[in-house]
Amino acid sequence: MVRGMSTTTSARDRLVDAAQDLFAAQGVGPTSPRAVLAASGVGQGSLYHHFPTKHDLAVAAVGATVDEALTRALRTLGGDSPAVERLVAYLERPRDALAGCKIGRLTSDQAVMDDDGLHDVVTAYFVRLLGTLTQVLRETGLPDDAARDRAHAALAIVQGGYVLARATRDPDALAAAVRGFVGLLTQTVPAPTVPAPTVPTPNLPTQEENQ
Amino acid sequence: MVRGMSTTTSARDRLVDAAQDLFAAQGVGPTSPRAVLAASGVGQGSLYHHFPTKHDLAVAAVGATVDEALTRALRTLGGDSPAVERLVAYLERPRDALAGCKIGRLTSDQAVMDDDGLHDVVTAYFVRLLGTLTQVLRETGLPDDAARDRAHAALAIVQGGYVLARATRDPDALAAAVRGFVGLLTQTVPAPTVPAPTVPTPNLPTQEENQ
DNA sequence: GTCTATAAGCAGATAGAC
DNA sequence: GTCTATCTGCTTATAGAC
């Protein structure tokens, strides 16, 4: 019950840590409680003392992963710089493309999709992220509907980029998708004649490279 | 070895059909040979006669799914209409968003990623599709590198859109991502005055579902 | 070629000692 | 709270009759 006891690494914390790692590596379904047990170093009974079922363990571990990811994302998207710049910074953030998105991958995990409590945690992550992205895009002067659509596109680029990278075993596939999207996003008017751009072209600051 | 015997539905064909359906619904890993057996209506021994291991069954079923999806995709992308129009037609094709991409989902399927033979089938699908999309985008006058990046972006939109739809349980999430991307893709000069759309919205012919 | 019967092993979960 | 020992059911696969 007592969460966040920082004094020592409780069996509970070790279990959640191990579960997060294994879930990220191989998904929830294929990860057995026994494997979490072995990785954490605690005994069989301890697991079932803290987490009566695999569901309980999964909710705790996936919840922790979502919290961490959301914190990082919102920090990137919430700075002082111009909105487009923050969006591009989010898109271009270094990512372990071949590993896939720890959370996005769960949408293909039958054990997660079949479990309402677990699914809700995943849903909350994406709803929150889409809301924030929409907000950022509204700052660029886009109407509400267009901002929402473009937010979906931006997040789809990241999630789809992960899929492409894993499918082709090419870590650059995610980076390529991001480049293609950012190219469109920051494009000046094709300008055969008229100059005025839709999106105020930002001076692309030298961003961190994609891994 | 004799494939496509159209005279009668062999036990082999029924097994492959059942496997394709179950793999699409719940993935390869979570689908047991016994479940395929039950769905196909054949006996235990028949399965292991035609497919000595689950791997063999999976290669046959996933291979068939890839062939079908590739055929549909290449038909959409290979018409006579202008390149951008064909690309948009591909992006806007009706899809069962909540079901996810039958092939893209396999990139999160541990049973697939751990099996080189199976993974290769998935890789081939995406490599082929990316090549074709790149070709189409080159027709629009884009330089090679930019065409390749934009092709990655386009395919990522579809794959990521599926992820968003499943994550949020919102079938419109995929459509929103496509709208956001097509909006950028076909954006005319900001047009404070002129309304003319670049791409004449094609009359979506009622398409088959999925990729 | 197709069937029924069955083996070996791992899954999720429980019992109960310390 | 943590441990070891154990149960049931399902998994992949094999054996061998028809």
Side-chain angles (χ1 to χ4, degrees), chain B:
Chain B
M1 287 294 278
V2 187
R3 284 228 52 202
M5 284 176 43
S6 53
T7 49
T8 192
T9 341
S10 69
R12 191 200 144 95
D13 289 344
R14 273 182 292 157
L15 284 164
V16 171
D17 281 355
Q20 284 188 261
D21 289 347
L22 287 167
F23 290 171
Q26 52 182 4
V28 175
T31 299
S32 70
R34 294 181 90 95
V36 176
L37 220 62
S40 68
V42 308
Q44 193 104 326
S46 282
L47 197 170
Y48 286 98
H49 171 74
H50 292 291
F51 305 104
T53 69
K54 181 180 175 178
H55 161 88
D56 298 306
L57 173 60
V59 168
V62 173
T65 298
V66 163
D67 284 349
E68 294 161 12
L70 214 41
T71 300
R72 284 195 300 273
L74 297 185
R75 182 161 40 214
T76 303
L77 288 168
D80 291 21
S81 41
V84 177
E85 226 171 276
R86 277 178 281 146
L87 174 61
V88 172
Y90 172 74
L91 290 169
E92 293 183 345
R93 206 154 87 190
R95 292 181 165 92
D96 187 352
L98 293 184
C101 173
K102 286 170 186 164
I103 303 162
R105 281 182 59 190
L106 300 180
T107 59
S108 299
D109 196 317
Q110 208 57 22
V112 173
M113 299 300 278
D114 287 350
D115 181 323
D116 277 356
L118 264 183
H119 194 157
D120 287 349
V121 176
V122 173
T123 302
Y125 172 75
F126 281 100
V127 167
R128 184 75 190 283
L129 212 43
L130 283 169
T132 305
L133 286 166
T134 302
Q135 202 63 30
V136 169
L137 280 157
R138 265 202 282 250
E139 289 180 43
T140 69
L142 232 46
D144 285 14
D145 281 4
R148 188 158 174 74
D149 286 351
R150 194 167 292 184
H152 277 74
L155 196 45
I157 285 290
V158 173
Q159 293 297 321
Y162 273 123
V163 171
L164 297 186
R166 282 175 66 85
T168 61
R169 307 191 206 233
D170 173 13
D172 189 56
L174 168 56
V178 169
R179 281 196 303 270
F181 186 72
V182 170
L184 282 168
L185 199 63
T186 64
Q187 79 190 332
T188 345
V189 174
T193 46
V194 191
T198 311
V199 175
T201 324
N203 322 359
L204 275 185
T206 309
Q207 301 267 6
E208 293 159 315
E209 73 169 32
N210 198 11
Q211 288 271 50

Side-chain angles (χ1 to χ4, degrees), chain A residues 159-177:
Chain A
Q159 293 297 321
Y162 274 124
V163 171
L164 297 186
R166 283 175 65 85
T168 61
R169 307 190 205 233
D170 174 13
D172 189 56
L174 167 55

